[in-house]
Amino acid sequence: MGLLDGLGRHLGGVLAPLFDDAVLHRVGPDGVADTPVRARIEGARDATEEPGLPGRLVRAIVLTPGPPPNPDDEITLAGIRHRIVAVETDPAASHALIQGRPL
């Protein structure tokens, strides 16, 4: 058992009140499964410099009670559904930094 085992769960529980409700739409072999998560939008910027990908790029922190999201998944933040285009995870597995584009 490593030092970081279970640490992510505890950190997520402490930080959860600071985050908003969100829904992670996980793509799996049986279709899409909706998972409630806690998330917070950190920023947004125009991303028109990337050809073929219109719109804004949103950066958010997502508390991950299970496996982290992946770029096949989508997330609904503040009532807007986003396609996840990049995911970074922390070593303790308490959260993931994602980038998404509004659908």
Side-chain angles (χ1 to χ4, degrees):
M1 195 169 188
L3 177 64
L4 298 179
D5 291 348
L7 181 62
R9 184 179 65 251
H10 296 297
L11 287 175
V14 170
L15 297 175
L18 303 174
F19 289 72
D20 300 319
D21 291 328
V23 178
L24 182 61
H25 311 285
R26 293 188 185 270
V27 176
D30 298 329
V32 178
D34 292 344
T35 305
V37 294
R38 305 287 287 175
R40 184 174 74 190
I41 295 176
E42 286 292 301
R45 66 177 174 89
D46 286 328
T48 55
E49 70 276 3
E50 299 176 40
L53 297 174
R56 299 181 64 76
L57 189 64
V58 174
R59 184 171 173 91
I61 298 174
V62 180
L63 299 181
T64 53
N70 66 58
D72 293 332
D73 299 336
E74 296 176 352
I75 190 166
T76 300
L77 299 164
I80 301 171
R81 193 164 175 150
H82 297 81
R83 178 174 52 97
I84 297 173
V85 295
V87 178
E88 300 173 41
T89 58
D90 74 306
S94 66
H95 67 280
L97 299 172
I98 65 164
Q99 292 183 21
R101 294 187 177 278
L103 294 176

